[in-house]
Amino acid sequence: RAVLSAGWSRFAARRNQRLLTIGAIDHAALFARCRAAVHHGGAGTTYATARAGLPTLVCSVFADQPFWGRTLEK
């Protein structure tokens, strides 16, 4: 099962047995219920996953995201 937080993007909200697509959400509340995180690698999301102690995979897109992915890897 997965939760896709579409944030400000144009992904349409939908729900089925395996995928819940939502808009912006409080990371601390969501990550407390997760076993792992796959995300873009923004500073705030990276911090929230590290704080929650989650195994994390960063799929960076641009800007500082590759830096945060490397930092988590170390």
Side-chain angles (χ1 to χ4, degrees):
R1 296 178 297 182
V3 175
L4 173 63
S5 176
W8 46 262
S9 72
R10 295 182 186 187
F11 275 88
R14 62 179 158 248
R15 182 180 196 148
N16 63 44
Q17 291 179 336
R18 297 191 180 265
L19 177 65
L20 171 62
T21 305
I22 57 175
I25 191 166
D26 174 29
H27 287 139
L30 176 63
F31 294 154
R33 302 178 62 138
C34 292
R35 292 187 182 187
V38 177
H39 61 89
H40 67 297
T45 308
T46 301
Y47 171 78
T49 59
R51 185 172 186 215
L54 291 176
T56 303
L57 174 63
V58 172
C59 298
S60 58
V61 180
F62 72 104
D64 63 338
Q65 297 166 352
F67 167 79
W68 292 115
R70 287 189 305 273
T71 301
L72 278 176
E73 185 177 29
K74 289 177 186 175

